[in-house]
Amino acid sequence: MDTSLINVPFLIDTFFVALSGVPVALLVTVVSLLIAVPIGFFLALTRINQIPVINTIAKIYVSFVRGTPIIIQIFVLYSFIPLMLNGIFKKYNIEYSVYDINPLWYAFIIFAFNTAAVLVEVFRSALSTVDKGQLEAAQSVGLTNAQAYRRIIIPQALVTALPNLCTATVNLIKATSLGYAISLYEITLKAKVAANVGYNYVEAYIDIFIVYLILCIVVEQLFKWWEKRLSRYKYANA
């Protein structure tokens, strides 16, 4: 009988099982960011410009997300969305079971919902660092607000926002480990399923730890490279 504390062969085999879940984790991360970035940027503008009603809604939304655990948000949304869809399907006589929907679609919505709230504050603080006089100067030479933001404001704010954007992205990647709660076959669930046979949960959790550590380090290095490139823009316009 094997008396070792760690089953090394299982540890090695399951590492590759966990690694096979990386594409799903990255897909959820990328799609969630694509949804969350424009929403977060729009709500950040409403906060900066103090737009009535929308500004209040944005405050409540950000407070709700920041004040509640993400696992609770997952359970609430994963319970609420099917109920809402089921009501819509019945109203319009759509013959489709909400329980046949791939959990991946729920993951996109849930993680985008959480990340957008985080990005509101990231973009708001970054945009606040850009002198308002630059927007006025751009308008004085005939640029529209959209052109001024795209050519002048956003490139400068992005340099400031990048470290916090990196943190938000890394946190999102780590949050995808909770996808097992909605039966999403990502890194965590794949490793746990493999561990169920021989109850090798310690080895599975070590593999999950290593895979996420490698993934997050790679993402952080990519952001550092991006930050160096954007810094050239900052120095060129200093």
Side-chain angles (χ1 to χ4, degrees), residues 45-133:
L45 289 177
T46 65
R47 295 292 309 278
I48 291 173
N49 295 301
Q50 298 291 311
I51 297 177
V53 183
I54 301 178
N55 181 39
T56 303
I57 293 172
K59 283 182 179 180
I60 295 171
Y61 165 52
V62 172
S63 297
F64 170 78
V65 172
R66 295 178 68 177
T68 57
I70 186 171
I71 189 66
I72 301 301
Q73 296 168 26
I74 290 172
F75 287 141
V76 169
L77 291 174
Y78 192 52
S79 300
F80 172 75
I81 294 172
L83 289 175
M84 181 184 69
L85 290 177
N86 197 40
I88 294 173
F89 290 171
K90 285 183 177 179
K91 182 177 180 180
Y92 294 100
N93 296 317
I94 300 174
E95 296 296 330
Y96 189 83
S97 174
V98 294
Y99 303 105
D100 292 334
I101 297 175
N102 193 315
L104 197 59
W105 294 103
Y106 292 114
F108 294 153
I109 297 171
I110 291 168
F111 289 112
F113 173 83
N114 177 271
T115 305
V118 175
L119 295 182
V120 170
E121 295 306 307
V122 170
F123 292 141
R124 187 169 73 93
S125 60
L127 288 169
S128 298
T129 62
V130 181
D131 189 353
K132 292 182 179 179

Coordinates of all heavy atoms in Angstrom, one line a residue, residues 45-133:
L45 N -18.1 57.5 -16.9 CA -18.4 58.8 -17.4 C -19.6 59.4 -16.7 O -19.6 60.7 -16.5 CB -18.6 58.8 -18.9 CG -17.4 58.5 -19.8 CD1 -17.8 58.4 -21.3 CD2 -16.3 59.6 -19.6
T46 N -20.6 58.6 -16.5 CA -21.8 59.1 -15.8 C -21.5 59.6 -14.4 O -22.1 60.5 -13.9 CB -22.9 58.1 -15.7 OG1 -22.5 57.0 -14.9 CG2 -23.3 57.6 -17.1
R47 N -20.5 58.9 -13.7 CA -20.1 59.3 -12.4 C -19.3 60.6 -12.4 O -19.5 61.5 -11.6 CB -19.2 58.2 -11.8 CG -19.9 56.8 -11.5 CD -20.9 56.9 -10.4 NE -20.4 57.6 -9.2 CZ -19.7 57.0 -8.2 NH1 -19.4 55.7 -8.4 NH2 -19.3 57.6 -7.2
I48 N -18.5 60.7 -13.4 CA -17.6 61.9 -13.5 C -18.5 63.1 -13.8 O -18.3 64.2 -13.3 CB -16.5 61.7 -14.6 CG1 -15.5 60.7 -14.1 CG2 -15.9 63.1 -14.9 CD1 -14.5 60.4 -15.1
N49 N -19.4 63.0 -14.8 CA -20.3 64.1 -15.2 C -21.5 64.3 -14.4 O -22.4 65.1 -14.7 CB -20.7 63.9 -16.7 CG -19.5 63.9 -17.6 OD1 -18.8 64.9 -17.7 ND2 -19.2 62.8 -18.3
Q50 N -21.7 63.4 -13.3 CA -22.8 63.5 -12.4 C -24.2 63.5 -13.1 O -25.0 64.4 -12.9 CB -22.7 64.8 -11.5 CG -21.4 64.8 -10.6 CD -21.5 63.8 -9.5 OE1 -22.5 63.7 -8.8 NE2 -20.5 63.0 -9.4
I51 N -24.3 62.6 -14.1 CA -25.6 62.5 -14.8 C -26.7 62.0 -13.9 O -26.5 60.9 -13.3 CB -25.5 61.6 -16.0 CG1 -24.4 62.2 -17.0 CG2 -26.8 61.4 -16.7 CD1 -24.1 61.3 -18.2
P52 N -27.8 62.7 -13.7 CA -28.9 62.3 -12.8 C -29.4 61.0 -13.1 O -29.4 60.5 -14.2 CB -29.9 63.4 -13.0 CG -29.2 64.6 -13.6 CD -28.1 64.0 -14.4
V53 N -29.9 60.3 -12.1 CA -30.5 59.0 -12.2 C -29.5 57.9 -12.5 O -29.3 57.0 -11.7 CB -31.7 58.9 -13.2 CG1 -32.3 57.5 -13.1 CG2 -32.7 60.0 -12.9
I54 N -28.8 58.0 -13.7 CA -27.8 57.0 -14.0 C -26.7 57.0 -13.0 O -26.2 55.9 -12.7 CB -27.3 57.2 -15.5 CG1 -28.5 57.2 -16.5 CG2 -26.3 56.2 -15.8 CD1 -28.0 57.5 -17.9
N55 N -26.3 58.1 -12.6 CA -25.2 58.2 -11.6 C -25.6 57.5 -10.3 O -24.8 56.8 -9.7 CB -24.9 59.7 -11.3 CG -23.8 59.9 -10.3 OD1 -22.8 59.1 -10.3 ND2 -23.9 60.8 -9.4
T56 N -26.8 57.7 -9.9 CA -27.3 57.1 -8.7 C -27.4 55.6 -8.8 O -27.0 54.8 -7.9 CB -28.7 57.6 -8.3 OG1 -28.7 59.0 -8.1 CG2 -29.2 57.0 -7.0
I57 N -27.9 55.1 -10.0 CA -27.9 53.7 -10.3 C -26.5 53.1 -10.3 O -26.3 52.0 -9.7 CB -28.6 53.4 -11.6 CG1 -30.1 53.8 -11.6 CG2 -28.5 52.0 -12.1 CD1 -30.8 53.8 -12.9
A58 N -25.6 53.8 -10.9 CA -24.2 53.3 -10.9 C -23.6 53.2 -9.5 O -22.9 52.2 -9.2 CB -23.4 54.3 -11.8
K59 N -23.9 54.1 -8.7 CA -23.4 54.1 -7.3 C -24.0 52.9 -6.6 O -23.2 52.2 -5.9 CB -23.8 55.4 -6.5 CG -23.0 56.6 -6.8 CD -23.5 57.8 -6.0 CE -22.6 59.0 -6.2 NZ -23.1 60.2 -5.4
I60 N -25.3 52.6 -6.7 CA -25.9 51.5 -6.0 C -25.3 50.2 -6.6 O -25.0 49.2 -5.8 CB -27.4 51.5 -6.2 CG1 -28.0 52.8 -5.5 CG2 -28.1 50.3 -5.7 CD1 -29.5 53.0 -5.9
Y61 N -25.2 50.1 -7.9 CA -24.6 48.9 -8.5 C -23.2 48.6 -8.0 O -22.9 47.5 -7.7 CB -24.7 49.2 -10.1 CG -23.9 48.2 -10.9 CD1 -24.0 46.8 -10.8 CD2 -23.0 48.7 -11.8 CE1 -23.2 46.0 -11.5 CE2 -22.2 47.8 -12.6 CZ -22.4 46.5 -12.5 OH -21.6 45.6 -13.3
V62 N -22.4 49.6 -8.0 CA -21.0 49.4 -7.6 C -20.9 49.0 -6.1 O -20.2 48.1 -5.7 CB -20.1 50.7 -7.8 CG1 -18.8 50.6 -7.2 CG2 -20.0 51.0 -9.3
S63 N -21.8 49.7 -5.3 CA -21.8 49.4 -3.9 C -22.3 47.9 -3.6 O -21.8 47.2 -2.8 CB -22.7 50.3 -3.1 OG -22.3 51.6 -3.2
F64 N -23.3 47.5 -4.4 CA -23.8 46.1 -4.3 C -22.7 45.1 -4.6 O -22.5 44.1 -3.9 CB -25.0 45.9 -5.2 CG -25.5 44.5 -5.3 CD1 -26.2 43.9 -4.3 CD2 -25.1 43.7 -6.4 CE1 -26.6 42.6 -4.4 CE2 -25.5 42.4 -6.5 CZ -26.3 41.9 -5.5
V65 N -22.0 45.3 -5.7 CA -21.0 44.3 -6.2 C -19.8 44.3 -5.2 O -19.3 43.2 -4.8 CB -20.6 44.6 -7.6 CG1 -19.4 43.8 -8.0 CG2 -21.7 44.4 -8.6
R66 N -19.4 45.5 -4.8 CA -18.2 45.6 -3.9 C -18.5 45.1 -2.5 O -17.7 44.7 -1.7 CB -17.7 47.0 -3.9 CG -17.1 47.4 -5.2 CD -16.6 48.9 -5.2 NE -15.4 49.0 -4.4 CZ -14.8 50.2 -4.2 NH1 -15.2 51.3 -4.8 NH2 -13.7 50.3 -3.5
G67 N -19.8 45.1 -2.1 CA -20.2 44.8 -0.8 C -20.7 43.4 -0.6 O -21.1 43.0 0.6
T68 N -20.7 42.6 -1.7 CA -21.2 41.2 -1.5 C -20.1 40.2 -2.1 O -19.5 40.6 -3.1 CB -22.5 41.0 -2.3 OG1 -22.3 41.4 -3.7 CG2 -23.6 41.8 -1.7
P69 N -20.0 39.0 -1.6 CA -19.1 38.1 -2.1 C -19.5 37.6 -3.5 O -20.7 37.5 -3.8 CB -19.2 36.9 -1.1 CG -19.8 37.4 0.1 CD -20.7 38.6 -0.4
I70 N -18.5 37.4 -4.3 CA -18.8 37.0 -5.7 C -19.5 35.7 -5.8 O -20.4 35.4 -6.7 CB -17.5 37.0 -6.6 CG1 -17.9 36.7 -8.1 CG2 -16.5 36.0 -6.1 CD1 -16.8 36.9 -9.0
I71 N -19.3 34.8 -4.9 CA -19.9 33.5 -4.9 C -21.4 33.6 -4.7 O -22.3 32.9 -5.3 CB -19.3 32.5 -3.8 CG1 -19.9 31.1 -4.0 CG2 -19.6 33.0 -2.4 CD1 -19.5 30.4 -5.3
I72 N -21.8 34.6 -3.8 CA -23.3 34.9 -3.6 C -23.9 35.5 -4.9 O -25.0 35.2 -5.3 CB -23.4 35.9 -2.4 CG1 -22.8 35.3 -1.1 CG2 -24.9 36.2 -2.2 CD1 -23.5 33.9 -0.8
Q73 N -23.1 36.4 -5.6 CA -23.6 37.0 -6.8 C -23.8 35.9 -7.9 O -24.8 35.9 -8.6 CB -22.6 38.0 -7.3 CG -22.4 39.2 -6.4 CD -21.1 40.0 -6.9 OE1 -20.7 40.0 -8.0 NE2 -20.6 40.7 -5.9
I74 N -22.9 34.9 -7.9 CA -23.0 33.8 -8.8 C -24.3 33.0 -8.5 O -25.1 32.7 -9.4 CB -21.8 32.8 -8.7 CG1 -20.6 33.5 -9.3 CG2 -22.1 31.5 -9.4 CD1 -19.3 32.7 -9.0
F75 N -24.6 32.7 -7.2 CA -25.8 31.9 -6.9 C -27.0 32.7 -7.2 O -28.0 32.1 -7.7 CB -25.7 31.5 -5.4 CG -24.7 30.4 -5.1 CD1 -24.0 30.5 -3.9 CD2 -24.6 29.4 -6.0 CE1 -23.0 29.5 -3.6 CE2 -23.6 28.3 -5.7 CZ -22.9 28.4 -4.5
V76 N -27.0 34.0 -6.9 CA -28.2 34.8 -7.1 C -28.5 34.9 -8.6 O -29.7 34.7 -9.0 CB -28.0 36.2 -6.5 CG1 -29.2 37.1 -6.9 CG2 -28.0 36.1 -4.9
L77 N -27.5 35.3 -9.4 CA -27.8 35.4 -10.8 C -28.1 34.1 -11.5 O -28.9 34.1 -12.4 CB -26.5 36.1 -11.5 CG -26.3 37.6 -11.1 CD1 -25.0 38.1 -11.6 CD2 -27.5 38.4 -11.5
Y78 N -27.4 33.1 -11.1 CA -27.6 31.8 -11.7 C -29.0 31.2 -11.4 O -29.6 30.4 -12.1 CB -26.6 30.8 -11.2 CG -26.5 29.5 -12.0 CD1 -26.4 29.5 -13.4 CD2 -26.6 28.2 -11.3 CE1 -26.4 28.3 -14.1 CE2 -26.5 27.0 -12.0 CZ -26.4 27.1 -13.4 OH -26.4 25.9 -14.1
S79 N -29.6 31.7 -10.3 CA -31.0 31.3 -9.9 C -32.0 32.3 -10.6 O -33.0 31.8 -11.0 CB -31.2 31.4 -8.4 OG -30.3 30.5 -7.8
F80 N -31.6 33.6 -10.7 CA -32.6 34.6 -11.2 C -32.7 34.5 -12.7 O -33.8 34.6 -13.3 CB -32.1 36.0 -10.8 CG -32.9 37.1 -11.4 CD1 -34.2 37.4 -11.0 CD2 -32.3 37.8 -12.4 CE1 -34.9 38.4 -11.6 CE2 -33.1 38.9 -13.0 CZ -34.4 39.1 -12.6
I81 N -31.5 34.4 -13.4 CA -31.6 34.4 -14.9 C -32.4 33.4 -15.5 O -33.3 33.7 -16.4 CB -30.1 34.4 -15.5 CG1 -29.3 35.6 -15.1 CG2 -30.2 34.3 -17.0 CD1 -27.9 35.6 -15.4
P82 N -32.3 32.1 -15.1 CA -33.2 31.1 -15.7 C -34.7 31.4 -15.4 O -35.6 31.1 -16.3 CB -32.8 29.8 -14.9 CG -31.4 30.0 -14.5 CD -31.3 31.5 -14.2
L83 N -35.0 31.9 -14.2 CA -36.4 32.2 -13.9 C -36.9 33.3 -14.8 O -38.1 33.3 -15.3 CB -36.5 32.7 -12.4 CG -36.4 31.6 -11.4 CD1 -36.4 32.3 -10.0 CD2 -37.5 30.6 -11.5
M84 N -36.1 34.3 -15.1 CA -36.4 35.4 -16.0 C -36.6 34.9 -17.4 O -37.6 35.3 -18.1 CB -35.4 36.5 -15.9 CG -35.7 37.7 -16.8 SD -34.3 38.9 -16.8 CE -33.1 38.0 -17.6
L85 N -35.7 34.1 -17.9 CA -35.8 33.6 -19.2 C -37.0 32.7 -19.4 O -37.6 32.7 -20.4 CB -34.5 32.8 -19.5 CG -33.2 33.6 -19.7 CD1 -32.0 32.7 -20.0 CD2 -33.4 34.6 -20.9
N86 N -37.2 31.9 -18.4 CA -38.4 31.0 -18.4 C -39.7 31.7 -18.6 O -40.6 31.4 -19.3 CB -38.4 30.1 -17.1 CG -39.3 28.9 -17.3 OD1 -39.3 28.3 -18.4 ND2 -40.1 28.6 -16.3
G87 N -39.8 32.9 -17.8 CA -41.0 33.7 -17.9 C -41.1 34.3 -19.3 O -42.2 34.4 -19.9
I88 N -40.0 34.8 -19.9 CA -40.0 35.3 -21.3 C -40.4 34.3 -22.3 O -41.2 34.5 -23.2 CB -38.6 35.9 -21.6 CG1 -38.3 37.2 -20.7 CG2 -38.5 36.4 -23.1 CD1 -36.9 37.7 -20.8
F89 N -39.8 33.1 -22.1 CA -40.1 32.0 -23.1 C -41.6 31.6 -23.1 O -42.2 31.4 -24.1 CB -39.2 30.8 -22.8 CG -37.7 31.0 -23.1 CD1 -36.8 30.0 -22.7 CD2 -37.3 32.1 -23.8 CE1 -35.5 30.2 -23.0 CE2 -36.0 32.3 -24.1 CZ -35.0 31.3 -23.6
K90 N -42.1 31.6 -21.9 CA -43.5 31.2 -21.8 C -44.4 32.3 -22.3 O -45.4 32.0 -23.0 CB -43.9 31.0 -20.3 CG -43.4 29.6 -19.7 CD -43.9 29.4 -18.3 CE -43.4 28.1 -17.8 NZ -43.9 27.9 -16.4
K91 N -44.1 33.6 -22.1 CA -44.9 34.7 -22.6 C -44.9 34.7 -24.1 O -46.0 35.0 -24.7 CB -44.3 36.0 -22.1 CG -45.1 37.2 -22.5 CD -44.5 38.5 -21.9 CE -45.3 39.7 -22.3 NZ -44.8 41.0 -21.7
Y92 N -43.8 34.4 -24.8 CA -43.7 34.4 -26.2 C -43.8 33.1 -26.9 O -43.5 32.9 -28.1 CB -42.5 35.2 -26.7 CG -42.5 36.6 -26.3 CD1 -41.8 37.1 -25.1 CD2 -43.2 37.6 -27.0 CE1 -41.8 38.4 -24.7 CE2 -43.2 38.9 -26.6 CZ -42.5 39.3 -25.5 OH -42.5 40.7 -25.1
N93 N -44.2 32.0 -26.1 CA -44.4 30.7 -26.6 C -43.1 30.1 -27.3 O -43.2 29.5 -28.3 CB -45.6 30.6 -27.5 CG -46.9 31.0 -26.8 OD1 -47.1 30.5 -25.7 ND2 -47.7 31.8 -27.5
I94 N -42.0 30.4 -26.6 CA -40.7 29.8 -27.2 C -40.5 28.5 -26.6 O -40.4 28.3 -25.4 CB -39.6 30.8 -26.8 CG1 -39.8 32.2 -27.4 CG2 -38.2 30.2 -27.3 CD1 -38.8 33.2 -27.0
E95 N -40.5 27.5 -27.4 CA -40.3 26.1 -27.0 C -38.8 25.8 -26.8 O -38.1 25.2 -27.6 CB -40.9 25.1 -28.0 CG -42.4 25.3 -28.2 CD -43.2 24.9 -26.9 OE1 -42.7 24.1 -26.1 OE2 -44.2 25.5 -26.6
Y96 N -38.3 26.2 -25.6 CA -36.9 25.9 -25.3 C -36.7 25.9 -23.8 O -37.2 26.8 -23.1 CB -36.0 27.0 -25.9 CG -34.5 26.7 -25.9 CD1 -33.9 25.9 -26.8 CD2 -33.7 27.2 -24.8 CE1 -32.6 25.5 -26.8 CE2 -32.4 26.9 -24.8 CZ -31.8 26.0 -25.7 OH -30.5 25.7 -25.7
S97 N -36.0 24.8 -23.4 CA -35.8 24.7 -21.9 C -34.6 25.5 -21.5 O -33.5 25.4 -22.1 CB -35.6 23.2 -21.6 OG -35.2 23.1 -20.2
V98 N -34.8 26.3 -20.5 CA -33.7 27.2 -20.0 C -32.6 26.3 -19.3 O -31.4 26.7 -19.2 CB -34.2 28.2 -18.9 CG1 -35.1 29.2 -19.5 CG2 -34.8 27.5 -17.7
Y99 N -32.9 25.1 -19.0 CA -32.0 24.2 -18.4 C -31.0 23.5 -19.4 O -30.1 22.8 -19.0 CB -32.7 23.1 -17.6 CG -33.6 23.7 -16.5 CD1 -35.0 23.7 -16.7 CD2 -33.1 24.3 -15.4 CE1 -35.8 24.3 -15.7 CE2 -33.9 24.9 -14.4 CZ -35.2 24.8 -14.6 OH -36.1 25.4 -13.6
D100 N -31.3 23.8 -20.7 CA -30.5 23.3 -21.7 C -29.4 24.3 -22.2 O -28.6 24.0 -23.0 CB -31.3 22.9 -23.0 CG -32.2 21.7 -22.7 OD1 -31.8 20.8 -21.8 OD2 -33.2 21.5 -23.4
I101 N -29.5 25.5 -21.6 CA -28.5 26.5 -21.9 C -27.1 26.2 -21.3 O -27.0 25.8 -20.2 CB -29.0 27.9 -21.4 CG1 -30.3 28.3 -22.0 CG2 -27.9 29.0 -21.6 CD1 -30.9 29.6 -21.5
N102 N -26.1 26.3 -22.1 CA -24.7 26.0 -21.7 C -24.3 27.0 -20.6 O -24.5 28.2 -20.7 CB -23.8 26.2 -22.9 CG -22.4 25.6 -22.6 OD1 -21.8 25.8 -21.5 ND2 -21.9 24.9 -23.6
P103 N -23.8 26.4 -19.5 CA -23.4 27.3 -18.3 C -22.4 28.4 -18.7 O -22.3 29.4 -18.0 CB -22.7 26.3 -17.4 CG -23.3 25.0 -17.7 CD -23.6 25.0 -19.2
L104 N -21.7 28.2 -19.9 CA -20.8 29.2 -20.3 C -21.5 30.5 -20.5 O -20.9 31.6 -20.2 CB -20.2 28.7 -21.7 CG -18.9 29.4 -22.1 CD1 -17.8 29.2 -21.1 CD2 -18.4 28.8 -23.5
W105 N -22.7 30.5 -21.0 CA -23.4 31.8 -21.3 C -23.7 32.5 -19.9 O -23.7 33.7 -19.8 CB -24.7 31.5 -22.1 CG -24.4 31.0 -23.4 CD1 -24.5 29.7 -23.9 CD2 -24.0 31.8 -24.5 NE1 -24.2 29.7 -25.2 CE2 -23.8 30.9 -25.7 CE3 -23.7 33.2 -24.7 CZ2 -23.4 31.4 -26.9 CZ3 -23.2 33.6 -26.0 CH2 -23.1 32.7 -27.0
Y106 N -24.1 31.7 -18.9 CA -24.3 32.3 -17.6 C -23.0 32.9 -17.1 O -23.0 33.9 -16.4 CB -24.9 31.2 -16.7 CG -26.2 30.7 -17.0 CD1 -26.5 29.4 -17.4 CD2 -27.3 31.6 -16.9 CE1 -27.7 29.0 -17.7 CE2 -28.6 31.1 -17.2 CZ -28.8 29.8 -17.6 OH -30.1 29.4 -17.9
A107 N -21.9 32.2 -17.3 CA -20.6 32.6 -16.8 C -20.3 34.0 -17.4 O -19.8 34.9 -16.7 CB -19.5 31.6 -17.1
F108 N -20.5 34.2 -18.7 CA -20.2 35.4 -19.4 C -21.0 36.6 -18.7 O -20.4 37.6 -18.4 CB -20.6 35.4 -20.8 CG -19.8 34.5 -21.7 CD1 -20.4 33.9 -22.8 CD2 -18.5 34.1 -21.4 CE1 -19.7 33.0 -23.6 CE2 -17.8 33.3 -22.1 CZ -18.4 32.7 -23.3
I109 N -22.3 36.4 -18.4 CA -23.1 37.4 -17.8 C -22.7 37.7 -16.4 O -22.5 38.8 -16.0 CB -24.6 37.0 -17.9 CG1 -25.1 36.8 -19.3 CG2 -25.5 38.0 -17.1 CD1 -26.4 36.2 -19.5
I110 N -22.5 36.6 -15.6 CA -22.2 36.8 -14.2 C -20.9 37.5 -13.9 O -20.8 38.4 -13.2 CB -22.2 35.4 -13.5 CG1 -23.6 34.8 -13.4 CG2 -21.6 35.5 -12.1 CD1 -23.7 33.3 -13.1
F111 N -19.8 37.0 -14.6 CA -18.5 37.6 -14.4 C -18.4 39.0 -15.0 O -17.6 39.8 -14.5 CB -17.4 36.7 -14.9 CG -17.3 35.4 -14.1 CD1 -17.6 34.2 -14.6 CD2 -16.8 35.5 -12.8 CE1 -17.5 33.0 -13.8 CE2 -16.6 34.4 -12.0 CZ -17.0 33.1 -12.5
A112 N -19.1 39.2 -16.1 CA -19.1 40.6 -16.7 C -19.8 41.5 -15.7 O -19.4 42.7 -15.6 CB -19.8 40.6 -18.1
F113 N -20.9 41.1 -15.1 CA -21.7 41.9 -14.1 C -20.8 42.3 -13.0 O -20.8 43.4 -12.6 CB -22.8 41.0 -13.6 CG -23.6 41.7 -12.5 CD1 -24.6 42.6 -12.7 CD2 -23.3 41.3 -11.2 CE1 -25.3 43.2 -11.7 CE2 -24.0 41.9 -10.1 CZ -25.0 42.8 -10.4
N114 N -20.0 41.4 -12.5 CA -19.0 41.7 -11.4 C -17.9 42.6 -11.8 O -17.6 43.6 -11.1 CB -18.5 40.4 -10.8 CG -17.5 40.6 -9.7 OD1 -16.3 40.7 -10.0 ND2 -18.0 40.6 -8.5
T115 N -17.3 42.3 -13.0 CA -16.1 43.0 -13.4 C -16.4 44.4 -13.8 O -15.6 45.3 -13.6 CB -15.4 42.3 -14.6 OG1 -15.2 40.9 -14.2 CG2 -14.2 42.9 -15.0
A116 N -17.6 44.6 -14.4 CA -18.0 46.0 -14.9 C -18.0 47.0 -13.7 O -17.6 48.1 -13.8 CB -19.3 46.0 -15.5
A117 N -18.5 46.5 -12.5 CA -18.5 47.3 -11.3 C -17.2 47.7 -10.9 O -16.9 48.8 -10.4 CB -19.3 46.6 -10.2
V118 N -16.2 46.8 -11.0 CA -14.8 47.0 -10.6 C -14.2 48.1 -11.5 O -13.5 49.0 -11.1 CB -14.0 45.7 -10.6 CG1 -12.5 46.0 -10.3 CG2 -14.6 44.7 -9.6
L119 N -14.5 47.9 -12.8 CA -13.9 48.8 -13.8 C -14.5 50.2 -13.8 O -13.8 51.2 -14.2 CB -14.1 48.2 -15.2 CG -13.4 46.9 -15.5 CD1 -13.6 46.4 -16.9 CD2 -11.9 47.0 -15.2
V120 N -15.7 50.4 -13.2 CA -16.2 51.7 -13.1 C -15.3 52.6 -12.3 O -14.9 53.7 -12.7 CB -17.6 51.7 -12.4 CG1 -18.1 53.1 -12.0 CG2 -18.6 51.0 -13.3
E121 N -14.8 52.1 -11.2 CA -13.9 52.9 -10.3 C -12.5 53.0 -10.9 O -11.8 54.0 -10.7 CB -13.8 52.2 -8.9 CG -15.2 52.2 -8.1 CD -15.7 53.7 -8.0 OE1 -15.0 54.6 -7.6 OE2 -16.9 53.9 -8.4
V122 N -12.1 51.9 -11.6 CA -10.8 52.0 -12.3 C -10.7 53.1 -13.3 O -9.8 53.9 -13.3 CB -10.5 50.6 -12.9 CG1 -9.2 50.7 -13.8 CG2 -10.3 49.5 -11.9
F123 N -11.8 53.1 -14.2 CA -11.8 54.2 -15.2 C -12.1 55.5 -14.6 O -11.6 56.5 -15.1 CB -12.9 53.8 -16.3 CG -12.6 52.6 -17.1 CD1 -13.5 51.7 -17.4 CD2 -11.3 52.4 -17.5 CE1 -13.2 50.5 -18.2 CE2 -10.9 51.2 -18.3 CZ -11.9 50.3 -18.6
R124 N -12.9 55.6 -13.6 CA -13.3 56.9 -13.0 C -12.0 57.6 -12.5 O -11.8 58.8 -12.7 CB -14.3 56.8 -11.9 CG -14.8 58.1 -11.4 CD -16.1 57.9 -10.5 NE -15.7 57.2 -9.3 CZ -15.5 57.9 -8.1 NH1 -15.5 59.3 -8.1 NH2 -15.2 57.3 -7.0
S125 N -11.2 56.8 -11.7 CA -10.0 57.4 -11.1 C -9.0 57.7 -12.2 O -8.3 58.7 -12.1 CB -9.4 56.4 -10.1 OG -9.1 55.2 -10.8
A126 N -8.9 56.9 -13.3 CA -7.9 57.2 -14.3 C -8.3 58.4 -15.2 O -7.5 59.2 -15.5 CB -7.9 55.9 -15.3
L127 N -9.6 58.5 -15.5 CA -10.1 59.7 -16.2 C -9.9 61.0 -15.4 O -9.7 62.1 -16.0 CB -11.5 59.5 -16.7 CG -11.8 58.5 -17.7 CD1 -13.3 58.2 -17.9 CD2 -11.2 58.9 -19.1
S128 N -10.0 60.9 -14.1 CA -9.9 62.0 -13.3 C -8.5 62.6 -13.2 O -8.3 63.8 -12.9 CB -10.3 61.7 -11.8 OG -11.7 61.3 -11.8
T129 N -7.5 61.8 -13.7 CA -6.1 62.3 -13.6 C -5.8 63.1 -14.9 O -4.7 63.8 -14.9 CB -5.1 61.1 -13.6 OG1 -5.3 60.2 -14.8 CG2 -5.4 60.2 -12.4
V130 N -6.6 63.0 -15.9 CA -6.4 63.8 -17.1 C -7.0 65.2 -16.9 O -8.2 65.4 -16.6 CB -7.1 63.1 -18.3 CG1 -6.8 63.9 -19.6 CG2 -6.5 61.7 -18.5
D131 N -6.2 66.2 -17.2 CA -6.6 67.6 -17.0 C -7.8 67.9 -17.9 O -7.8 67.6 -19.1 CB -5.4 68.5 -17.4 CG -5.7 70.0 -17.1 OD1 -6.8 70.3 -16.7 OD2 -4.8 70.8 -17.2
K132 N -8.8 68.5 -17.3 CA -10.1 68.8 -18.1 C -9.8 69.8 -19.2 O -10.5 69.9 -20.2 CB -11.1 69.4 -17.1 CG -11.7 68.3 -16.2 CD -12.8 68.9 -15.3 CE -13.3 67.9 -14.3 NZ -14.4 68.5 -13.5
G133 N -8.7 70.6 -19.0 CA -8.4 71.6 -20.0 C -8.0 71.0 -21.4 O -8.2 71.6 -22.4

